[in-house]
Amino acid sequence: MMDRKESRGGVKKFVIKPLRSRTSLPEDFRDANWRQLCEAIDAIKKEVPVSTSLEQLYRSVEDVCVQGHSEWLYAQLQERCQGHASSVLSSLSEVVQGYQEQMGDTAYSEQMLDQVGGLWDVYCSQLMLIRHIFLYLDRTHLLMKSEHRSVFEMGLRYFKEYMNTEYVQVKKMVLQGIMGAVDAERRGDAVRRDVLKNLVRMFALLGLYEDSLMPLFLERARAFYAEEGNRIILDVSLSEYLEYVEKRISEEFNRCDAILEPITRIPLIQTVEACVIEPHVAYMLEHGFEKLLDEDRIADLKRMYDVFGRVKAHKALCLAFKNHLKKAGSSIVENDGKDGDMIKNIISLKHRMDKIVSECFDNIIYQDAMKDAFAYFVNLRSNRPAELLAKHMDSILRGGGKSVGSGSKGGRGAEDDVEAALDSSMAIFRFIQGKDAFEAFYKKDLAKRLLFNRSFSIDMEKSAISKLKAECGAHFTSKLEGMFTDVELSKDMMASFKTSSDSMEELTNVCPGTDISVQVLTSGLWPTYPMLECNFPENLANGLEVFKKHYLSKYSGRKLLWLHSLGTCIMKVRFSSGVKELSVSFFQAAVLMAFEDSDSLTYSEISTATGLEDDELKRTLQSLACGRERVLLKDPKGKDVNDSDTFKFNSKYTSKLYRVRINAIQMKESVDESRKTNEMVLQDRQHQIDAAIVRIMKTRKTLGHKLLINELISQLRFPVHPPDLKRRVESLIDREYLERDSSDPQIYNYLA
């Protein structure tokens, strides 16, 4: 009914009133609709067509709910769904029992799983259809009441309740079937993953996945891989076992993605790792790891690194890597018979390990372990590796590309190869603790290269000095740089000498037909050389005096001392085959000059004529009579020179070269020279230790023995041992620089 009223402002207002009478419903309205709905539910259960349209059924549910019978309708539907769940599980039980009688409890049947999955799919489809019919109830009444479940969830709940109570054997057999199928697939059999995925999804929808299926799945995986891992690791190589581990983990990842819920991935992979990796870490490190390193098996080592990382076993792998390096390096350093190849082998080992660490062990702890291992074995033999490294760099800087096996004939390519070889040497230099020993030997070799003009490239020499300077500081290379300065100044001095008309005229008068070249060395910068005397021809001695006079005229107050052991001569010698130029040392020249008046001389006659010491004379005669270029013949023949030997000028000497170099003996370091250099290093270290002790005690005045030792170890640049330091302290006490405290002998006092 609608009335029209007029307000004060003249605006018309319409008011709609409710109907005065309500439409009456039949008394059996609710029951009639329910009977119709029951007929539809029964048809759905029996999988036959529903006689009433779904739209009409939906309207029936809506009408019942609108009339306020939602709670009653929900109760009736619950009873029907409960019965339906029981009947479906009864059918499942019959299927399972049939297969159980045929195959037993532990066996699995793919047909059984397929049938169970099919019945489950039908049940879910029926539930969904029932939900569509009762959708109005689902979206209105049930949605507003949290204590009620949706129609579909209600059907799942009753299914789960019956499966956990009356039909628990069904759940057990289905779980056993799933586990059996997975185990069969792990053994290599083909299974239907779609069936397994459907059943796994069933357990997930029922809320039984985490409580029932997943624990059993993990336990079966643990049992399977524990047995398989223990068996396989004894039958295959480490490389094959690592491939097996990777393959199994990849398979489980794939299996998890294909049939399992995502929540299973992490615990499943952890279970596999705990069975096939963790128990066998020690075995893998002891059986095959060193072989992989020795053979540079990059792919296998990378695989091992990844596998060990899965169980957080990098610490054990890193320790094994470090111990292997120590073992391999120690075998190189402590092999006295192959000292000549020590540095090359260490550099080769370093290159190999650098590649392995960079490509396989991408972790800072492995880099630190490699550094510790190299620092350990490189210093096993005191100063010997430092000496050999200096010799190795000497070989590089003398030979250039040839010494490093360069394919470049010269130019920039050879220099690049030398630069790379120097970088490799510097990598080993960083591990050497006795850098003072290296400095002493390097300086001796550098002096010979500069004085005898045997350096491959001055640029490369300066590059090596710059590398040492960057590593150890300017104080380390100051004397080495001073040697280059002396060489340049000597060139300027000789240019001044040759342009001096007075000096050159005097030289021509006293030494006709002879040219001289002198290098002036600053005594504090260059190595110490023995002052050996030798009887030279008078004209040569006079020529040296001419230069001395010229030098002192420019630098008054200075003193020149001649180092004859470093002098070289170019002599023209006439043989039967013709004239040859021989490049010889001063001492070799003195010996050859003794044969000008006689073709045959005894050892004692040569000694008298040259005035050389016995050791140096024997060494010189050996180079002339026992080497590759034999300009003298020794009687009797042999490699050693004795006092009773006789020597004869070899007039029949021949050579393809016009100028023959025989003074290579000057470039070689004798055993005695090496020993003296080591003694000099030890002596310098004693002075440094004494100076450090006095410096520390002068600052602290009073200090305990242990604190003093610790302070010295931290300050000194070379390796020291506490007993050696204690001996130096005792020496300073004897020399009254220190005294023991009267109350405690472990405390020292400084004496001003």
Side-chain angles (χ1 to χ4, degrees), residues 634-678:
K634 187 174 81 73
D635 184 30
K637 294 181 180 180
K639 292 184 179 181
D640 296 326
V641 175
N642 300 312
D643 296 349
S644 59
D645 290 345
T646 301
F647 296 87
K648 182 181 179 181
F649 178 71
N650 184 12
S651 60
K652 296 181 180 180
Y653 168 79
T654 59
S655 175
K656 295 180 180 180
L657 302 175
Y658 175 71
R659 176 173 290 184
V660 183
R661 185 186 296 273
I662 306 179
N663 66 329
I665 184 175
Q666 289 179 297
M667 291 296 297
K668 294 181 180 179
E669 185 176 52
S670 64
V671 176
D672 186 57
E673 285 180 322
S674 177
R675 178 182 57 79
K676 288 181 179 179
T677 304
N678 277 304

Side-chain angles (χ1 to χ4, degrees), residues 360-426:
C360 304
F361 303 150
D362 187 17
N363 194 312
I364 188 66
I365 64 172
Y366 292 90
Q367 298 176 13
D368 293 339
M370 185 171 71
K371 292 177 182 177
D372 292 344
F374 271 83
Y376 166 77
F377 68 74
V378 164
N379 296 286
L380 282 177
R381 288 179 60 191
S382 187
N383 297 332
R384 187 59 174 162
E387 176 185 353
L388 294 174
L389 179 60
K391 300 301 178 191
H392 177 73
M393 294 183 69
D394 174 60
S395 174
I396 294 171
L397 293 169
R398 279 193 293 110
K402 294 180 181 179
S403 64
V404 296
S406 171
S408 303
K409 295 182 179 179
R412 188 61 193 170
E415 288 190 357
D416 290 342
D417 294 334
V418 171
E419 191 79 32
L422 290 176
D423 288 336
S424 298
S425 301
M426 289 303 301

Side-chain angles (χ1 to χ4, degrees), residues 83 86 252 578:
S86 177
E252 293 302 326

Side-chain angles (χ1 to χ4, degrees), residues 40-101:
I41 293 173
D42 290 340
I44 291 172
K45 290 180 181 180
K46 296 175 182 177
E47 298 184 66
V48 297
V50 180
S51 58
T52 308
S53 69
L54 293 178
E55 182 179 359
Q56 186 176 350
L57 293 172
Y58 178 88
R59 294 297 181 191
S60 298
V61 173
E62 182 180 5
D63 291 342
V64 173
C65 291
V66 168
Q67 294 303 317
H69 303 297
S70 298
E71 196 69 35
W72 176 84
L73 182 62
Y74 182 71
Q76 297 300 317
L77 181 61
Q78 273 186 307
E79 184 177 348
R80 284 283 177 169
C81 288
Q82 189 173 4
H84 181 43
S86 177
S87 65
V88 171
L89 276 167
S90 177
S91 300
L92 285 175
S93 179
E94 293 176 1
V95 171
V96 168
Q97 286 178 359
Y99 282 101
Q100 184 179 12
E101 292 173 0

